[in-house]
Amino acid sequence: MGQKISSGIKSVDSRGETGGSPSYRPLTHRRQHPELRDPDFSKPPRLDLLLDMPCAGLETQLRHAWNPDDRSLNIFIKDDDKMTFHRHPVAQSTDCIRGRGGYTRGLHVWRIHWPSRQRGTHAVVGVATSEAALHSVGYTALVGSDCESWGWDLGRNRLYHDSKNRAHSSLPSYPCFLEPEESFTLPDSLLVILDMDEGTLSFMADGQYLGVAFRGLKGKKLYPIVSAVWGHCEISMKYINGLDPEPLPLMDLCRRAARLALGRERLQEIESLPLPQSLKNYLQYQ
């Protein structure tokens, strides 16, 4: 059920430690690759705003958690943690589970926590329609294998969509700024960013926006999904928040501007500002 993938490529982890190799630095990549300045690699302002908001409440998170009625039979949701599933150690099997929420509009962000030691040979995160398969015999990257799902293989740093009908060499690398012989090891958690208004799927890791992975998703109803092969792996999904497509109120934009002017490290100083308490509360999302 999966030994860890090993190869001769350089591995750069999320802390920039490479065992002697130069650290991974996004700004260095941007200087080397001017194309990374295009909008695909710039964090969208609406995403910045969403991530500055408080996380969704528990009730909302549970509405967007894993769906116990939409899973492979080799997976079960834990009784004591409805946001985490456990995969039975079934040999020669690839298993998926979808989230409860299907999205057709708006911007949605959720966190996937998948310990790197539990990923095995095929660990894929992405989105799918309700028609995507949830089980396959053998070990495979099931998410993204057909035209009903889109996935990022966390071990191979490849993007999959209808991959069973494409040559492996034609599958794009992700993040796109990686050199041909370069890879990096993801931390245990990553953010999945689905913008149904723009029709894009993106990812973030350790606060770094990794760019648009997929386009052309408008007009579909898409669900969070993962495919796993590692026995006893436990994968959690936490819905961070969402934004409707309508323009944001001026008050919200002003709050965002004020918080940006203060800077994240000085937000705790809001209480000391010479402002009415109601305004200080508003600036702190209270």
Side-chain angles (χ1 to χ4, degrees):
M1 259 166 280
Q3 296 177 345
K4 201 117 179 175
I5 300 169
S6 61
S7 66
I9 60 178
K10 177 174 63 176
S11 177
V12 185
D13 76 6
S14 61
R15 298 175 300 279
E17 299 166 353
T18 63
S21 300
S23 296
Y24 160 62
R25 292 186 178 89
L27 291 179
T28 301
H29 282 280
R30 286 178 183 271
R31 286 195 295 270
Q32 294 172 347
H33 302 278
E35 69 274 13
L36 298 189
R37 300 188 184 96
D38 73 30
D40 273 6
F41 296 94
S42 300
K43 189 193 296 183
R46 284 171 59 82
L47 174 60
D48 242 346
L49 179 63
L50 185 152
L51 295 177
D52 187 55
M53 297 163 54
C55 284
L58 180 59
E59 184 178 342
T60 300
Q61 290 176 14
L62 290 174
R63 287 203 307 270
H64 295 264
W66 300 120
N67 190 343
D69 300 318
D70 201 6
R71 60 182 171 83
S72 163
L73 295 180
N74 296 325
I75 283 173
F76 69 89
I77 295 174
K78 299 180 70 175
D79 290 335
D80 60 346
D81 182 358
K82 299 301 183 183
M83 298 180 205
T84 301
F85 75 79
H86 183 104
R87 180 185 176 274
H88 292 298
V90 180
Q92 292 298 319
S93 177
T94 301
D95 303 287
C96 298
I97 184 171
R98 271 184 284 260
R100 290 178 180 271
Y103 309 115
T104 59
R105 64 196 295 269
L107 173 66
H108 303 272
V109 178
W110 58 92
R111 177 180 291 112
I112 296 290
H113 180 79
W114 192 340
S116 56
R117 66 183 182 278
Q118 297 181 13
R119 292 175 187 167
T121 54
H122 297 83
V124 190
V125 174
V127 295
T129 70
S130 60
E131 302 300 317
L134 297 176
H135 174 261
S136 177
V137 175
Y139 302 136
T140 185
L142 187 51
V143 173
S145 63
D146 60 19
C147 61
E148 300 294 337
S149 58
W150 296 256
W152 178 23
D153 186 323
L154 305 184
R156 294 171 178 80
N157 299 316
R158 292 277 184 176
L159 297 177
Y160 300 147
H161 175 60
D162 201 21
S163 62
K164 66 184 180 184
N165 294 316
R166 299 174 60 185
H168 186 268
S169 59
S170 71
L171 300 173
S173 297
Y174 184 84
C176 301
F177 49 67
L178 293 178
E179 300 294 338
E181 296 299 316
E182 183 183 23
S183 179
F184 72 97
T185 302
L186 281 167
D188 288 346
S189 294
L190 63 145
L191 294 185
V192 185
I193 302 142
L194 179 63
D195 189 336
M196 293 306 297
D197 305 317
E198 293 293 328
T200 61
L201 180 68
S202 311
F203 299 90
M204 285 183 66
D206 269 359
Q208 171 66 26
Y209 182 70
L210 301 179
V212 173
F214 295 100
R215 290 191 172 276
L217 305 181
K218 276 186 180 181
K220 307 178 188 300
K221 186 173 186 178
L222 299 177
Y223 300 79
I225 194 171
V226 299
S227 64
V229 299
W230 188 268
H232 294 301
C233 69
E234 294 192 344
I235 303 168
S236 303
M237 177 171 66
K238 178 182 178 183
Y239 186 73
I240 302 300
N241 225 322
L243 280 177
D244 290 331
E246 289 76 17
L248 293 165
L250 181 59
M251 283 180 62
D252 288 359
L253 296 175
C254 290
R255 173 170 55 191
R256 176 61 180 152
R259 289 172 65 91
L260 279 174
L262 279 169
R264 188 174 294 274
E265 67 282 354
R266 296 176 58 202
L267 291 178
Q268 69 274 11
E269 299 177 17
I270 289 176
E271 277 298 332
S272 64
L273 295 176
L275 297 172
Q277 188 60 47
S278 59
L279 183 52
K280 289 190 282 190
N281 290 346
Y282 185 74
L283 289 174
Q284 298 176 88
Y285 288 96
Q286 295 176 355

